[in-house]
Amino acid sequence: MLRIGGVVALGAVDVVLGAALLVADGTLDRPDRAVLDALDPHLEWTWRQITGDVVVELLQPVVTGGLLVLLAVLATRRTGRRAGLLHALGMVAAVTVPLFVLKTVIDRPPVSGHGSSFPSGHEASLIAYLGTLARSRTTRAGRLAAARLVAVLAAAMAVALVVTGTHWLSDVIGGAALGSAALLAVPAPPVPLLPERLRRPRRRRAGGAGPDEGAPSPRRRTRSSTAERPS
């Protein structure tokens, strides 16, 4: 019996395949053009495009993928287990292989007219790689906080890709579905990839006594202290 994550992953795969068919026969060309004209009708390079270009460059696939692999390597050195690194490499393959196949089969030019734009590798990689880091948190609160951050970054990337003319809107939707499918299809990392917050150990006194061991309780009163207290 499939879990909820598996059902959502299958739904995401259906979205990718459906969008691929609609893009291949040109059905989404007019809606994509309408969205681009609404966001950037004159194709001018203003502060919005400059800001969007910064987001696109800072969170490109080589950056998010490199961050995932780097943290997996550090987790391997920290835990002595290679499972985290193998999981990270498997996630990279789960995104890269279908991305390459779809871009080869559906040779759709982007707004700039160079390359193949469907689906968006930027969006797919961000969701899959950073989502993997979020799923590796050991606490439920930590996973939720990291997931919210990934959702915000994915939304910012989606807007930046369309505003800068890097991808059409359907490319972004296809990339988001592909990244979500890979994230949910692959199990959660077997080891934490993000280091937890370290707590500084308490210092102990000589002789092995703790900081509070052997000291009188602040609430305990002695006769001498009571007698010496001024009236």
Side-chain angles (χ1 to χ4, degrees), residues 15-102:
V15 172
V16 175
L17 297 179
L21 293 176
L22 294 176
V23 167
D25 64 8
T27 303
L28 297 179
D29 289 349
R30 182 173 296 180
D32 283 336
R33 174 60 66 178
V35 172
L36 180 62
D37 292 340
L39 294 177
D40 189 12
H42 304 294
L43 295 178
E44 296 177 349
W45 199 256
T46 62
W47 66 268
R48 294 183 302 174
Q49 284 71 28
I50 296 175
T51 305
D53 187 62
V54 172
V55 175
V56 171
E57 293 298 326
L58 288 180
L59 296 176
Q60 58 182 307
V62 66
V63 175
T64 54
L67 177 63
L68 174 62
V69 174
L70 175 61
L71 291 177
V73 171
L74 295 179
T76 299
R77 297 185 59 183
R78 185 172 65 251
T79 62
R81 299 172 56 187
R82 298 181 180 179
L85 179 58
L86 296 177
H87 184 279
L89 296 177
M91 177 59 68
V92 172
V95 174
T96 305
V97 173
L99 191 66
F100 174 79
V101 172
L102 289 172

Side-chain angles (χ1 to χ4, degrees), residues 155-174:
M157 175 63 79
V159 175
L161 290 172
V162 177
V163 169
T164 58
T166 307
H167 283 285
W168 303 100
L169 178 61
S170 58
D171 301 336
V172 177
I173 295 175

Side-chain angles (χ1 to χ4, degrees), residues 59 123 126-127 130 149-159 161 172 176:
L59 296 176
E123 191 74 11
L126 188 150
I127 293 177
L130 299 188
L149 178 59
V150 174
V152 171
L153 294 177
M157 175 63 79
V159 175
L161 290 172
V172 177

Side-chain angles (χ1 to χ4, degrees), residues 88-160:
L89 296 177
M91 177 59 68
V92 172
V95 174
T96 305
V97 173
L99 191 66
F100 174 79
V101 172
L102 289 172
K103 284 183 174 292
T104 302
V105 174
I106 305 175
D107 189 12
R108 185 193 199 189
V111 181
S112 60
H114 301 285
S116 180
S117 66
F118 183 88
S120 170
H122 286 73
E123 191 74 11
S125 301
L126 188 150
I127 293 177
Y129 300 157
L130 299 188
T132 299
L133 295 177
R135 294 182 68 189
S136 72
R137 300 302 299 271
T138 56
T139 62
R140 185 172 184 270
R143 288 192 296 270
L144 289 176
R148 294 189 187 101
L149 178 59
V150 174
V152 171
L153 294 177
M157 175 63 79
V159 175

